[in-house]
Amino acid sequence: MPQSLAQVWLHIIFSTKDRRPFLQDESIRDQMFRMLAHKTKEANCVCATVGGHIDHVHLLAGLSRTLTISNLIEHIKTETSKWAKTIHRDLTTFQWQRGYGVFSVSQSLMDRVEAYFRGQAEHHQQISFQEEYRLLCKKHEIRIDERYAWD
């Protein structure tokens, strides 16, 4: 076949270091969402949507066929962390956690995942980030080691 094609959608989730509420201010959170989308596109991937809450983010991204998941995440975390430290004095110590979660998303479920991202504020009135992450891992049959999951 002379042409290589791929369409792989990923639900990417990671939190701020120690789940500090760096994204509590709605303006900063919105700016971070835009920057995450920009840095995803900068890596030649598609960013369908970004959401999250005061201490974590969710990205729905289409992975480029020439990039690994770890390279994409390293790029967006490094670049947005550097950027965040320059935009506000309260963010000079900004960091993302070391790890991340990535889950595959079917094209047929894109609308549902995007709605889930938009409902994060309401969602987190009922459930913590840790519980949300545990439930996502369970749904995708991924076993997590709690000793290392929250660094």
Side-chain angles (χ1 to χ4, degrees), residues 98-128:
R98 289 184 301 173
Y100 56 85
V102 177
F103 309 97
S104 60
V105 176
S106 169
Q107 180 75 36
S108 64
L109 297 176
M110 295 275 291
D111 290 343
R112 182 188 270 173
V113 173
E114 289 176 336
Y116 175 74
F117 286 11
R118 285 190 303 274
Q120 283 289 293
E122 296 81 20
H123 179 68
H124 286 291
Q125 291 176 2
Q126 306 295 322
I127 189 171
S128 70

Side-chain angles (χ1 to χ4, degrees), residues 14 32 35-36 38-40 42-43 71-87 94 96:
F14 49 87
M32 177 60 79
M35 188 55 66
L36 286 160
H38 172 73
K39 294 301 179 181
T40 300
E42 188 177 84
N71 286 344
L72 170 62
I73 295 172
E74 178 182 1
H75 172 74
I76 60 179
K77 286 170 74 173
T78 299
E79 295 302 315
T80 56
S81 182
K82 286 192 286 190
W83 167 83
K85 291 173 183 177
T86 68
I87 65 161
F94 183 90
W96 294 115

